[in-house]
Amino acid sequence: MSRRGGGRQPETRRDQPSPASSQSAYGRGRGGGRSRGGPGRGGPTNVPVSTHATAPAPASYGSPAPAPASSSSSASSVPPAAVSTPPVTTDAPSLGSASTSKDVPEIEKLSLQPSAPSSTKAVRFCDRPGFGRIGRKLHVRANHFLVDVANGDFHHYDVSITPEITSKKINRMVMSQLTQLYLESHLGKRIPAYDGRKSLYTAGPLPFSSKEFVVKLVDDEEHGKSSGSARKKREREFKVTIRFASKPDLHSLHQFIKRLHLESPQETIQALDVVLRASPSEKYTVVGRSFFSPTLGPTGELGDGIEYWRGYHQSLRPTQMGLSLNIDVSARSFYENIFVTDFVAKHFRFNFSRPLSDQDRVKVKRALKGIKVELTHGQYTKSYKVTGVTKEPLSQLTFPVDDTTQMYVVQYFREKYNVVLECLALPALQAGNDTKQIYLPMELCKISAGQRYSKRLNERQVSNLLRATCQRPNERERDIRGMVRQNNFNGDKHAHEFRIQVREELSLCEARVLPPPMLKYYGTGKESSIEPSTGQWNMINKRMINGGTVEYWTCLNFSTRLDRNLPSQFCNGVVEMCINKGMDFNPKPFLPIRSATPNQLEKALVDVHKQSQGKLQLLIIILPDVKGRIKRICETELGIVTQCSQPKEASKLSKQYLENLALKINVKVGGRNTVLQDAINRRIPLVTDHPTIIFGADVTHPQPGEDSSPSIAAVVASMDWPEITKYRGVVSAQAHRQEIIQDLYKSTQDPQKGIVHGGIIRELLVAFYKSTKCKPARIIFYRDGVSEGQFSQVLLYEMEAIRKACASLQEGYLPRVTFVVVQKRHHTRFFPVDNRQTDRSGNILPGTVVDTQICHPREFDFYLNSHAGIKGTSRPTHYHVLFDENKFSADQLQTLTNNLCYTYARCTRSVSIVPPAYYAHLAAFRARYYIEGEASDVDTGSGSGIRGRNIEITLPSVKENVKDVMFYC
């Protein structure tokens, strides 16, 4: 599941080179090794990969700012940001003091613009510091298949097709036709592998360096086909120029995998990837890095005119064991191949006997715009792309026959095709453009097969998809094996041509099961601490380590379905549970519990706020049947901390549910549920010895089709060193689908004050100092939601923003940073070798970590399965360390990350993703509620839309008293 409440990042693209900067301190050439010449730590520096430079000694706090990096400096110079980190100390002046421009050291002469750096070769991430040793050793199987490539003479050619085509499918049809026509006469009998765009690869040289071909393609797709008639099919003529570009170097790839070469030969990996994808791309529907087809498994209805197809993901990557082909089964939603009227009936359940309202017509337009339909009547079929729907119903719709004559569409179909239209109250579909509109009756149009449904699935559709595709590990492993056999990679003509062999056995990996941490609860004795078993525990006979205080509270019930006395019963149950678990909770509400109708929602909230005179510490809300704007009003306008409950759950009065509510309420009023025993005893390496702040950051994007909504960035930071349990959150809106967090650091020019510094990092550092009276000497930054193609850009921009934010607080203040990317959107799965070493769901045990065989040949990454499975096959989280000035060992970072997964506040289970990143996602998802409905439904007429329009939506600010607690839980 995509954790991004509105659309998350696209799947990793190995064929996109990672951008970089030739002037960066945080760079690397893909797979580069760690430079040991840095300032006493293992972070990468910007030195030529073939040399080692000796860096200056670290500067101390309060020392003069380093000289700015010259834009003309050579590649061997070490930028100040890489060397001016202070020694670990805590006795420096306080953070947040007034700071002007003269106090700020110039860390880098780089602009805070997310532009793609100019070179990939200068960007290097830190090397693996070694392999982990802690934990019980065992073996697991991974869905990675070893790929053997014989030495060959690969050639890369640029392809130019005129006129230009945007469809990869049609491009492939053109090149397939070219290969059939000219394979023996002009291509030297070499079978090319084509990527659908600009690149073509051969297993040896073609007989020419540049040549132009003419290809004629029968245009069935766009201009129709006739069956049993004399209608002549139209042919389109294309000019295809094939020109030699380069020779991918297989030797460098072998050297890189053996750790004898610093830079990953991306061109060679891309060439091999294209070869292995060439045949499936011709046979199946391609969606990103995946292939889907009704022939790859059973299909089924999801509801509302949507169905699912089965398929598989495929990606090629260099690993420690060699080249690996990652294969995973998957399923996607597609439009059903049904008539448009049937789709509208299923999707909207409209009454076809009367014209649609304007609002309903806009809904239909949004649902159908951009999809391909086939107009079918009699023996004639023609394909169109829907651009809109008409404002008039079909019964009133006319079109010009000539300059003076108009004809009804209904009349035209009756006279020309002898077709009597029936759904006259529905609008017609529009195709063509503004100058030449084409009207298509819905009842004659069928949705073309194989079109992916990219909009958000509703709850019922999601449930149906999960029910149909959820597989236990043994079932998933069996299907992956079957998919590999069905594809028969070794019998593929392209693999044979390029002498590529794919082994059909899953990789056997060495793994370790990390021990769970000891958790501390309130008091002393047997029940004051617990060591969780298989990733879970309970609150029986335990009290929260720091119970919060709730003196002033009340409850609002907006549900119209609950019994009259149930809100009071529910609140009594909540209060009793909170007290039982250690909170100081006033049994009596400050204001009487009351009910209100959903249409009085805002008035009821404002009235409660006024009557409480700002004293209210907690407002319990039983939600209406249709959610309103509760969170935005309470958290950004009134400054009220809320705990909401679904009426269905509230009515059960379940003790387990009440216990979960108590855990949430406690952290929302400033309490702590549990703490790592090692944190209290100061035994967490590189965390509890010196003040350390742990950040979590995430960006969530709007769903496909929401082209004007902003992306939401969220950053949380720990506020309670050394316990590292409480996290303060800050949210910010930014440009549509912008992944780099824009507001980490910002400065403005004030006529009186000079430069005024601000931004998320600065705000959270100041809050940390106010909370702990310590200045962080270390920063651990868990960054969620970044695909590999964006690693370099995100690191360059966000590390620079962190540096500038720190330096703006105090001259020379540069705490050591560890920057870790957290990835859940990958397709690596682990399967147990020994069925006795599983949890109750049949999945690998919580705490299982893998940093060998299938991990990167050089860089510091690992897979961690920190949670117990519930349904289906567990997905491990991939942690990739891009930058590490704190010099974590593999064991230290893996253990820290795993232990943090037991501190998630909302349940008594270890979670699958490190809590700071999880909290950042929750905060970003919460902020999405604040702006829902702000971008109104706009009908822009036929043939136009809002794609690309940058409609600025301001994100309301969360009130300070709300921001002080974990309001997003």
Side-chain angles (χ1 to χ4, degrees):
M1 173 180 178
S2 171
R3 300 171 359 307
R4 317 295 161 218
R8 253 322 207 164
Q9 274 310 298
E11 293 179 356
T12 299
R13 293 295 306 269
R14 276 281 181 179
D15 56 345
Q16 294 176 349
S18 299
S21 171
S22 58
Q23 294 291 331
S24 166
Y26 321 114
R28 57 106 196 215
R30 190 81 175 102
R34 171 174 295 177
S35 168
R36 296 295 180 185
R41 66 192 86 134
T45 55
N46 188 25
V47 296
V49 294
S50 59
T51 63
H52 295 276
T54 302
S60 62
Y61 282 120
S63 62
S70 170
S71 59
S72 61
S73 62
S74 68
S76 61
S77 63
V78 183
V83 299
S84 51
T85 302
V88 176
T89 181
T90 60
D91 55 356
S94 66
L95 292 176
S97 56
S99 177
T100 62
S101 59
K102 62 185 176 61
D103 298 322
V104 184
E106 292 187 71
I107 301 172
E108 296 236 29
K109 290 247 177 162
L110 294 175
S111 171
L112 281 180
Q113 297 296 326
S115 57
S118 59
S119 167
T120 60
K121 294 187 177 181
V123 178
R124 291 177 50 191
F125 302 152
C126 60
D127 249 13
R128 187 181 304 280
F131 296 98
R133 297 177 180 275
I134 293 176
R136 177 164 52 87
K137 293 183 179 180
L138 74 166
H139 285 88
V140 296
R141 282 188 292 269
N143 57 338
H144 285 244
F145 298 84
L146 190 62
V147 177
D148 297 313
V149 185
N151 285 325
D153 189 19
F154 283 20
H155 282 62
H156 174 207
Y157 292 86
D158 284 334
V159 175
S160 175
I161 301 177
T162 307
E164 188 175 351
I165 311 167
T166 58
S167 167
K168 278 189 175 184
K169 182 178 179 181
I170 298 178
N171 279 340
R172 287 194 173 98
M173 291 168 63
V174 171
M175 294 305 296
S176 177
Q177 181 80 347
L178 185 150
T179 303
Q180 291 177 27
L181 293 173
Y182 300 108
L183 179 64
E184 296 193 7
S185 61
H186 291 77
L187 301 182
K189 298 184 179 180
R190 299 199 184 279
I191 301 174
Y194 176 54
D195 73 346
R197 290 291 186 212
K198 300 290 185 182
S199 292
L200 181 142
Y201 298 93
T202 59
L206 293 175
F208 54 83
S209 59
S210 179
K211 193 170 186 63
E212 185 178 278
F213 299 86
V214 175
V215 177
K216 292 182 180 179
L217 194 67
V218 176
D219 196 359
D220 288 345
E221 185 71 20
E222 295 298 332
H223 293 277
K225 54 187 177 181
S226 177
S227 174
S229 73
R231 180 180 174 89
K232 184 179 179 181
K233 298 177 183 179
R234 176 179 168 182
E235 288 184 341
R236 280 199 290 177
E237 184 175 286
F238 298 95
K239 290 182 179 179
V240 181
T241 302
I242 299 177
R243 183 180 293 107
F244 174 75
S246 62
K247 290 183 65 174
D249 185 3
L250 282 173
H251 177 71
S252 294
L253 175 59
H254 294 314
Q255 294 293 94
F256 172 73
I257 289 172
K258 294 176 183 176
R259 296 173 57 85
L260 299 175
H261 196 280
L262 291 175
E263 294 179 16
S264 173
Q266 284 299 311
E267 183 188 12
T268 306
I269 296 171
Q270 180 175 334
L272 294 169
D273 187 56
V274 169
V275 172
L276 290 172
R277 296 176 65 82
S279 292
S281 297
E282 294 172 358
K283 293 188 292 185
Y284 307 131
T285 298
V286 183
V287 180
R289 309 292 297 169
S290 301
F291 304 101
F292 298 93
S293 170
T295 65
L296 292 174
T299 62
E301 288 191 28
L302 296 177
D304 300 345
I306 310 301
E307 63 182 3
Y308 68 86
W309 287 9
R310 290 189 182 272
Y312 67 97
H313 165 90
Q314 172 183 318
S315 63
L316 188 70
R317 54 202 310 115
T319 65
Q320 294 166 28
M321 68 179 184
L323 269 182
S324 165
L325 192 65
N326 181 208
I327 302 286
D328 187 27
V329 292
S330 57
R332 291 280 187 181
S333 55
F334 288 81
Y335 289 94
E336 285 189 69
N337 181 212
I338 56 178
F339 282 99
V340 172
T341 44
D342 293 333
F343 174 80
V344 171
K346 286 185 173 185
H347 206 73
F348 298 107
R349 298 170 180 81
F350 288 152
N351 183 349
F352 288 179
S353 63
R354 62 170 183 264
L356 302 182
S357 66
D358 285 343
Q359 186 178 5
D360 288 342
R361 188 181 58 80
V362 170
K363 290 179 181 178
V364 171
K365 175 184 172 181
R366 288 191 167 181
L368 296 175
K369 187 175 179 180
I371 70 172
K372 288 174 65 175
V373 297
E374 295 170 352
L375 180 65
T376 304
H377 46 85
Q379 295 179 321
Y380 175 71
T381 300
K382 196 171 181 180
S383 180
Y384 295 94
K385 190 171 187 177
V386 177
T387 59
V389 297
T390 59
K391 294 184 178 180
E392 304 88 351
L394 191 60
S395 59
Q396 302 174 16
L397 192 61
T398 62
F399 65 95
V401 178
D402 52 41
D403 292 341
T404 59
T405 309
Q406 294 281 327
M407 177 179 278
Y408 283 97
V409 172
V410 176
Q411 177 188 355
Y412 172 80
F413 275 90
R414 184 175 63 246
E415 293 180 1
K416 187 169 179 66
Y417 300 109
N418 196 29
V419 173
V420 179
L421 300 176
E422 297 177 355
C423 300
L424 304 184
L426 288 176
L429 302 178
Q430 290 175 299
N433 52 46
D434 289 337
T435 58
K436 185 183 178 182
Q437 285 290 346
I438 300 172
Y439 301 128
L440 311 172
M442 287 188 186
E443 62 194 272
L444 301 183
C445 292
K446 199 171 188 180
I447 296 175
S448 300
Q451 296 183 81
R452 182 187 171 193
Y453 182 75
S454 59
K455 298 181 177 67
R456 182 186 303 177
L457 297 176
N458 60 37
E459 289 184 13
R460 183 166 58 90
Q461 290 168 333
V462 170
S463 297
N464 290 339
L465 182 61
L466 291 176
R467 193 180 302 114
T469 60
C470 185
Q471 293 178 298
R472 293 293 189 190
N474 60 333
E475 296 170 341
R476 194 182 193 102
E477 182 181 2
R478 179 199 64 209
D479 284 359
I480 290 172
R481 291 179 186 273
M483 198 69 74
V484 172
R485 285 194 298 269
Q486 181 177 344
N487 278 289
N488 187 21
F489 291 102
N490 295 332
D492 176 68
K493 63 180 181 180
H494 291 96
H496 183 265
E497 173 83 5
F498 288 80
R499 297 197 294 169
I500 299 174
Q501 291 281 317
V502 180
R503 300 189 188 179
E504 293 190 351
E505 288 302 313
L506 283 80
S507 298
L508 190 66
C509 298
E510 296 175 358
R512 293 167 290 115
V513 179
L514 301 177
M518 188 69 74
L519 301 178
K520 182 72 175 72
Y521 281 92
Y522 178 79
T524 58
K526 185 178 179 181
E527 301 297 335
S528 66
S529 59
I530 184 173
E531 185 178 44
S533 173
T534 60
Q536 51 193 324
W537 64 102
N538 58 54
M539 288 288 291
I540 297 174
N541 298 326
K542 298 177 190 66
R543 292 166 65 85
M544 301 156 178
I545 189 167
N546 298 116
T549 299
V550 178
E551 179 68 26
Y552 305 108
W553 67 277
T554 190
C555 174
L556 273 176
N557 168 41
F558 290 108
S559 174
T560 57
R561 294 186 295 176
L562 293 183
D563 180 85
R564 183 176 180 181
N565 296 322
L566 198 131
S568 294
Q569 292 177 311
F570 172 66
C571 288
N572 290 337
V574 171
V575 172
E576 183 180 343
M577 182 62 71
C578 288
I579 293 172
N580 182 260
K581 295 306 170 187
M583 291 184 66
D584 184 4
F585 209 117
N586 185 351
K588 295 183 179 179
F590 179 55
L591 299 174
I593 296 171
R594 68 184 74 175
S595 296
T597 57
N599 58 7
Q600 295 177 317
L601 187 147
E602 190 160 354
K603 180 180 183 300
L605 293 172
V606 172
D607 287 347
V608 164
H609 180 61
K610 285 182 178 178
Q611 291 177 35
S612 70
Q613 298 178 330
K615 293 182 179 180
L616 208 60
Q617 294 168 292
L618 176 70
L619 176 60
I620 299 172
I621 295 176
I622 301 176
L623 292 168
D625 301 330
V626 179
K627 289 183 181 179
R629 297 168 292 164
I630 291 172
K631 293 295 185 182
R632 179 179 65 79
I633 295 169
C634 290
E635 294 169 0
T636 70
E637 296 177 13
L638 305 178
I640 298 176
V641 175
T642 61
Q643 178 58 58
C644 296
S645 176
Q646 294 286 354
K648 181 180 177 181
E649 297 297 333
S651 61
K652 294 177 183 177
L653 299 175
S654 158
K655 286 195 173 182
Q656 180 63 55
Y657 179 67
L658 295 175
E659 184 179 286
N660 286 344
L661 285 185
L663 295 177
K664 294 181 182 181
I665 289 171
N666 189 48
V667 297
K668 287 182 179 181
V669 297
R672 284 185 294 208
N673 297 333
T674 186
V675 176
L676 295 172
Q677 184 75 59
D678 283 348
I680 293 176
N681 296 336
R682 302 288 186 96
R683 288 200 306 243
I684 302 179
L686 299 178
V687 173
T688 53
D689 55 341
H690 295 286
T692 300
I693 185 170
I694 300 180
F695 286 90
D698 189 21
V699 178
T700 64
H701 304 293
Q703 288 289 324
E706 297 180 23
D707 301 306
S708 60
S709 299
S711 293
I712 304 292
V715 182
V716 304
S718 58
M719 293 285 123
D720 60 340
W721 180 83
E723 287 85 359
I724 51 173
T725 303
K726 290 184 181 179
Y727 290 83
R728 178 184 176 96
V730 180
V731 293
S732 173
Q734 58 188 44
H736 177 73
R737 304 208 72 82
Q738 170 63 257
E739 179 57 46
I740 295 171
I741 302 176
Q742 301 295 291
D743 287 342
L744 289 181
Y745 169 78
K746 55 187 177 183
S747 61
T748 55
Q749 185 72 39
D750 184 89
Q752 282 77 38
K753 300 178 181 178
I755 295 178
V756 178
H757 305 281
I760 296 173
I761 297 294
R762 181 186 169 97
E763 177 182 338
L764 291 172
L765 287 173
V766 171
F768 179 92
Y769 182 82
K770 290 179 178 177
S771 176
T772 65
K773 302 299 184 288
C774 299
K775 179 173 61 175
R778 293 193 186 95
I779 291 175
I780 301 171
F781 198 90
Y782 286 104
R783 177 62 160 91
D784 196 8
V786 183
S787 63
E788 288 189 20
Q790 297 172 307
F791 277 6
S792 299
Q793 283 178 291
V794 168
L795 179 67
L796 287 166
Y797 184 91
E798 296 184 3
M799 268 301 305
E800 186 196 7
I802 292 169
R803 292 290 197 223
K804 289 192 172 183
C806 292
S808 73
L809 291 164
Q810 181 191 342
E811 183 176 357
Y813 174 53
L814 295 172
R816 298 182 178 189
V817 181
T818 298
F819 194 106
V820 186
V821 167
V822 183
Q823 291 179 304
K824 285 289 280 184
R825 292 179 65 86
H826 62 81
H827 288 268
T828 293
R829 300 292 183 274
F830 295 124
F831 305 99
V833 171
D834 186 345
N835 289 330
R836 293 170 299 179
Q837 297 176 324
T838 66
D839 61 18
R840 282 185 288 183
S841 69
N843 279 286
I844 58 173
L845 292 167
T848 301
V849 64
V850 173
D851 60 2
T852 59
Q853 276 103 328
I854 64 165
C855 292
H856 196 278
R858 301 190 66 92
E859 294 170 12
F860 188 3
D861 71 327
F862 58 91
Y863 291 91
L864 173 63
N865 187 83
S866 52
H867 66 298
I870 301 176
K871 287 185 177 181
T873 304
S874 295
R875 186 199 311 241
T877 299
H878 186 215
Y879 296 91
H880 202 130
V881 184
L882 304 189
F883 188 65
D884 181 25
E885 294 178 311
N886 291 302
K887 293 170 51 175
F888 274 95
S889 70
D891 278 329
Q892 287 171 339
L893 189 60
Q894 290 167 10
T895 300
L896 170 64
T897 303
N898 184 58
N899 290 355
L900 286 174
C901 290
Y902 286 78
T903 65
Y904 186 61
R906 306 210 306 177
C907 60
T908 52
R909 299 177 64 94
S910 60
V911 289
S912 64
I913 185 171
V914 68
Y918 208 146
Y919 292 146
H921 167 66
L922 292 178
F925 194 74
R926 172 65 56 81
R928 181 72 60 188
Y929 284 134
Y930 298 162
I931 58 173
E932 275 188 353
E934 296 294 325
S936 60
D937 292 349
V938 179
D939 181 15
T940 55
S942 62
S944 61
I946 58 174
R947 181 174 297 277
R949 286 173 56 184
N950 189 13
I951 301 175
E952 186 171 342
I953 298 176
T954 303
L955 189 67
S957 299
V958 178
K959 294 292 185 181
E960 283 300 316
N961 67 305
V962 176
K963 203 185 291 184
D964 280 339
V965 296
M966 295 169 68
F967 66 94
Y968 45 80
C969 277

